[in-house]
Amino acid sequence: MPKIVIMPSILAADMGRLAEECQRAEAAGADALHLDIMDGHFVPNLSMGPDVVKMARAAVKIPLDTHLMVTHPQNMTAAFIKAGANPLLIHVEAQCDVRAVLHDIRKHKLRAGLTLNPETPVEALFPYLADVDEVLFMSVHPGYGGQAFIPQVLPKVAELRRRAPELDISIDGGINRATTIQAAEHGANLFVAGTYLFGAADMQAEIAHMRAAIQNAYGKKV
Ligand code: DX5
Ligand code: ZN
């Protein structure tokens, strides 16, 4: 199976002590941090910008999986690359030349990722599979943490897994103990979790629990 990657989403961290929260996640065994970037247009909310990525880059050594929920990613990639984002993910629904932006990200020696909203059919990804290092399925409507997992996304994950056995497939939104297992069964190997991990009494124990559960469940419903 492809490598398991567990990524706490700092959207759910204590914003008053963000550097310490990044370090707490790294010390708890996180493989990467997930950073949600919102522009108030592609999604109704605003969150963080390149300076937060820069802060996280200085605070931890693990990769910063940076999720651009923005309408015009082509105008913003340079600032996030400079700040230390990597991987850098854009949405297939963004208003841009998706392939050109993915190529630009890769040209800068970053991992490029493509993200899909819950309503978007999985076929929208197929033209870009050669251009991406990871695909991220949104399992909530993007814009806010703490929402309930949308199970209708699971067949899309399984379909992509059948097509691409080695691809890094990520799931983002509403991940908890139970939905981790469902997503792993359908072939996800990268897991973003905000509320669940930052809200856990013992993040280290919870990440270890997730890792074991994913190992056990992976691919059973592919
Ligand atoms: C939602 C973001 C998610 C969010 C997940 O727009 O893309 O990464 O942080 O939060 P939880 O895990 O709380 O659903
Ligand atoms: Zn995200």
Side-chain angles (χ1 to χ4, degrees), residues 34 36 67 69 138 172 192:
H34 183 82
D36 287 307
H67 176 191
M69 283 164 274
M138 286 303 309
D172 180 13
V192 176

Side-chain angles (χ1 to χ4, degrees), residues 10-53:
I10 66 167
L11 192 64
D14 179 347
M15 294 288 170
R17 334 172 8 252
L18 211 38
E20 286 164 57
E21 289 280 81
C22 292
Q23 289 160 352
R24 179 164 78 90
E26 182 175 53
D31 301 293
L33 296 178
H34 183 82
L35 283 75
D36 287 307
I37 313 301
M38 306 179 188
D39 66 350
H41 186 265
F42 186 80
V43 293
N45 198 9
L46 289 163
S47 57
M48 43 190 96
D51 283 348
V52 175
V53 176

Side-chain angles (χ1 to χ4, degrees), residues 121-206:
V122 66
E123 287 76 15
L125 295 169
F126 294 168
Y128 305 109
L129 291 182
D131 307 304
V132 294
D133 301 293
E134 65 186 67
V135 161
L136 182 151
F137 286 96
M138 286 303 309
S139 41
V140 297
H141 297 290
Y144 299 93
Q147 304 180 75
F149 185 82
I150 300 172
Q152 287 78 8
V153 74
L154 292 169
K156 297 197 288 186
V157 176
E159 182 167 354
L160 185 63
R161 177 53 78 210
R162 284 192 291 274
R163 279 189 169 241
E166 300 299 326
L167 181 66
D168 280 327
I169 300 182
S170 188
I171 188 95
D172 180 13
I175 289 295
N176 55 35
R177 276 195 180 200
T179 56
T180 290
I181 293 171
Q182 294 174 36
E185 285 174 339
H186 288 79
N189 67 303
L190 276 55
F191 295 77
V192 176
T195 308
Y196 165 47
L197 288 179
F198 277 101
D202 183 343
M203 195 195 294
Q204 182 162 13
E206 216 56 53

Side-chain angles (χ1 to χ4, degrees), residues 67-86:
H67 176 191
L68 298 182
M69 283 164 274
V70 306
T71 304
H72 300 295
Q74 67 276 31
N75 301 339
M76 297 184 189
T77 51
F80 284 97
I81 292 169
K82 184 159 179 247
N86 186 19

Side-chain angles (χ1 to χ4, degrees), residues 42-137:
F42 186 80
V43 293
N45 198 9
L46 289 163
S47 57
M48 43 190 96
D51 283 348
V52 175
V53 176
K54 193 173 164 192
M55 175 284 300
R57 188 63 289 153
V60 296
K61 294 203 159 44
I62 51 178
L64 306 176
D65 189 71
T66 304
H67 176 191
L68 298 182
M69 283 164 274
V70 306
T71 304
H72 300 295
Q74 67 276 31
N75 301 339
M76 297 184 189
T77 51
F80 284 97
I81 292 169
K82 184 159 179 247
N86 186 19
L88 190 55
L89 295 91
I90 64 168
H91 267 261
V92 73
E93 305 87 356
Q95 289 173 24
C96 67
D97 179 340
V98 169
R99 197 182 315 275
V101 180
L102 292 170
H103 284 182
D104 183 57
I105 293 169
R106 279 185 157 180
K107 199 179 74 199
H108 287 87
K109 309 266 182 271
L110 276 74
R111 283 169 57 88
L114 197 53
T115 306
L116 199 70
N117 277 337
E119 309 74 16
T120 305
V122 66
E123 287 76 15
L125 295 169
F126 294 168
Y128 305 109
L129 291 182
D131 307 304
V132 294
D133 301 293
E134 65 186 67
V135 161
L136 182 151
F137 286 96

